[in-house]
Amino acid sequence: MKKLLSMVLCAMMALTLAGCGGSSDDSSTYTYSSELDIKNLDSSDAEDGCSFTALHAIIDGLMKPAKDGTTTYGIAKSSEVSEDGLTHTYKLRDAKWSNGDAVTANDFVYAWQRIFKKKGNYYYMFCDGIANIAGAQELSDKIDAEQDLTDEDLNKLGVKAVDDKTLEITTTTRVSFFDELMSFPCFYPINQKFCEKQGDKYGKSADSILGNGAFVMTNWEPGSVAEFEKNDKFYAAKDVKIDKLVMKLVQEPKVAAQAFEAGETDFAIINSDLVDKYKKDESFKNISEGFLFYIQPNLENSDLANLNVRKALSLAINRKDLCENVLKDGSQAAKGFVPSGLSISPEGKDFRDEAATYTSYDKKAAQAALDEGLKELGKSEITLRLTYGTDESPMDVFATYLQNA
């Protein structure tokens, strides 16, 4: 019997189990346990959730998340959009970097040009299909073609400092979610003078990062701890209720839970192995996080270029079983690339409920699709290799499950 090799095109949204209780005796300090490490505090390069958590603490963008999950003003104090929807003008509040420098519109222009110059991880967010900022797609095309970008090229990006407190952004089409994008770290400002003085060290240590947000990073020991103190120069310092934030890095869930019980930490992420032990505790909470795990087929592989083979691989994965019986952490099987709960219309309808379902489990149909795919390829069997990173804890579980599906 032919072995049905496993691959999933869209897996699940990861929901994290958290214990949160404010157990620390020092109410002026909040201690957060993280299973992951901070990798990078350069907003042009940072790409992981733990680094983003640290960046959110020390830097504000034009916009930022509000308590209720909506988007509110950050460094911007007001904004307006032209009638055709193509020109976004943000007026900046009187805000300062933690060294006392004023935050200016040029800090955004510099940072946005820099992400292309450095070929940062998220420069594609500026391009067509996402932010649609004028000139961004042309810069991206040059990067893809391995062409060097000149200052003249960078100056064609549709972002301009009209004056120190006015930032004007031009898009090629109307983007209804533009304000929400402006809260994402790749759109954060960078103090040019400080950054250039740090050179390649920028964002690699507590001393080489400059913020304008609620906290200042005072200590960062990779793989161990990151410490932050309240920023007295923050424009909304009176609203910051704690004096110190501590992130305990690379803590195993069991260790984090023990620290929580001992009153040494105020927030601890646990895993499915600990759910039964803590699910009746009043501090136990199930929190939806914005993560979607999926497997991307390599279409340069001639076997995976076959539609029926890809269809078979997707149909072979029992996502519901994986979430409920293996992960057991609240994860949900994703029915499409945009998971449930991520996008809600003004009428309150979930995008996933109104869109089609693109994933399902049907082993019989999977075998039929595989048989047809093998026939089209002129082969009796195929062998595929699954490549995955080990920097996020579920990945080894996913890989083992897929291998045995």
Side-chain angles (χ1 to χ4, degrees):
M1 181 177 178
K2 302 182 182 70
K3 170 129 176 105
L4 187 59
L5 298 172
S6 307
M7 194 169 198
V8 61
L9 301 180
C10 190
M12 75 291 296
M13 181 177 176
L15 307 183
T16 300
L17 294 163
C20 183
S23 55
S24 174
D25 292 335
D26 183 2
S27 61
S28 66
T29 299
Y30 189 84
T31 303
Y32 172 96
S33 291
S34 172
E35 191 177 0
L36 304 176
D37 201 1
I38 298 172
K39 295 181 180 179
N40 188 356
L41 293 176
D42 182 345
S43 57
S44 294
D45 278 339
E47 62 176 353
D48 63 287
C50 190
S51 296
F52 285 169
T53 297
L55 280 168
H56 284 311
I58 59 178
I59 300 180
D60 264 16
L62 290 169
M63 310 294 292
K64 63 182 181 180
K67 286 183 179 180
D68 62 0
T70 60
T71 301
T72 189
Y73 289 114
I75 296 300
K77 66 177 181 179
S78 65
S79 63
E80 62 179 47
V81 184
S82 60
E83 188 174 343
D84 63 5
L86 304 183
T87 303
H88 300 254
T89 303
Y90 291 91
K91 291 290 186 179
L92 309 189
R93 67 175 76 246
D94 290 330
K96 293 185 181 296
W97 294 98
S98 57
N99 68 351
D101 290 352
V103 180
T104 69
N106 185 68
D107 295 329
F108 290 91
V109 176
Y110 172 72
W112 294 10
Q113 291 183 350
R114 182 173 176 270
I115 194 171
F116 283 95
K117 190 173 183 179
K118 286 178 61 64
K119 302 175 184 177
N121 289 306
Y122 279 103
Y123 69 81
Y124 68 86
M125 294 276 288
F126 293 73
C127 301
D128 292 356
I130 307 181
N132 291 276
I133 295 175
Q137 189 60 51
E138 288 75 11
L139 292 175
S140 176
D141 291 343
K142 283 200 169 187
I143 291 174
D144 291 344
E146 299 184 353
Q147 297 178 20
D148 292 332
L149 298 180
T150 65
D151 288 342
E152 183 179 358
D153 292 327
L154 295 171
N155 287 332
K156 292 178 181 178
L157 186 65
V159 56
K160 179 173 68 174
V162 177
D163 56 46
D164 282 352
K165 297 299 180 184
T166 308
L167 185 71
E168 183 181 279
I169 305 161
T170 304
T171 61
T172 57
T173 188
R174 186 184 297 272
V175 182
S176 60
F177 50 90
F178 197 82
D179 279 349
E180 285 78 2
L181 285 174
M182 293 303 101
S183 68
F184 196 73
C186 70
F187 296 101
Y188 280 178
I190 293 176
N191 182 299
Q192 181 175 0
K193 182 179 179 181
F194 179 87
C195 180
E196 292 182 346
K197 182 179 180 180
Q198 299 301 317
D200 293 339
K201 297 185 297 181
Y202 178 75
K204 304 298 189 295
S205 67
D207 294 333
S208 65
I209 184 66
L210 185 66
N212 61 14
F215 296 91
V216 174
M217 178 178 269
T218 57
N219 179 44
W220 174 20
E221 300 171 31
S224 179
V225 67
E227 297 173 302
F228 310 78
E229 292 182 357
K230 183 176 177 177
N231 179 11
D232 60 4
K233 295 183 176 63
F234 180 48
Y235 63 84
K238 63 181 179 58
D239 297 324
V240 181
K241 306 302 183 184
I242 59 174
D243 296 324
K244 188 173 182 179
L245 172 66
V246 178
M247 292 178 67
K248 293 185 177 181
L249 304 172
V250 198
Q251 277 208 325
E252 291 290 334
K254 185 176 181 179
V255 174
Q258 290 171 343
F260 181 83
E261 286 188 345
E264 299 170 358
T265 185
D266 302 297
F267 184 94
I269 295 176
I270 61 176
N271 59 17
S272 56
D273 293 338
L274 299 170
V275 170
D276 290 340
K277 181 178 180 179
Y278 293 102
K279 64 184 178 183
K280 293 182 180 180
D281 192 297
E282 63 179 4
S283 298
F284 176 86
K285 288 179 172 53
N286 194 333
I287 303 171
S288 300
E289 291 196 315
F291 293 96
L292 176 73
F293 292 93
Y294 63 95
I295 298 231
Q296 174 67 46
N298 178 8
L299 298 181
E300 293 184 4
N301 180 303
S302 59
D303 295 331
L304 288 174
N306 182 277
L307 177 60
N308 275 307
V309 169
R310 297 198 306 274
K311 182 179 179 180
L313 298 176
S314 183
L315 287 167
I317 305 305
N318 190 338
R319 298 164 180 80
K320 187 172 184 291
D321 176 62
L322 172 60
C323 293
E324 295 180 359
N325 299 318
V326 179
L327 296 174
K328 297 187 295 184
D329 61 357
S331 294
Q332 298 177 6
K335 298 177 182 178
F337 201 75
V338 178
S340 300
L342 182 65
S343 179
I344 308 298
S345 72
E347 294 76 28
K349 296 180 179 179
D350 193 295
F351 172 84
R352 192 75 268 145
D353 292 338
E354 297 191 316
T357 295
Y358 289 97
T359 63
S360 61
Y361 171 64
D362 188 329
K363 199 164 186 178
K364 184 177 180 180
Q367 188 67 62
L370 179 61
D371 290 342
E372 184 62 27
L374 291 174
K375 181 180 178 181
E376 292 168 350
L377 292 169
K379 296 181 177 182
S380 60
E381 63 179 27
I382 57 175
T383 300
L384 299 175
R385 181 178 63 183
L386 177 64
T387 303
Y388 64 96
T390 58
D391 55 340
E392 294 184 86
S393 59
M395 297 312 296
D396 53 348
V397 177
F398 296 163
T400 300
Y401 186 85
L402 295 174
Q403 185 180 36
N404 295 317

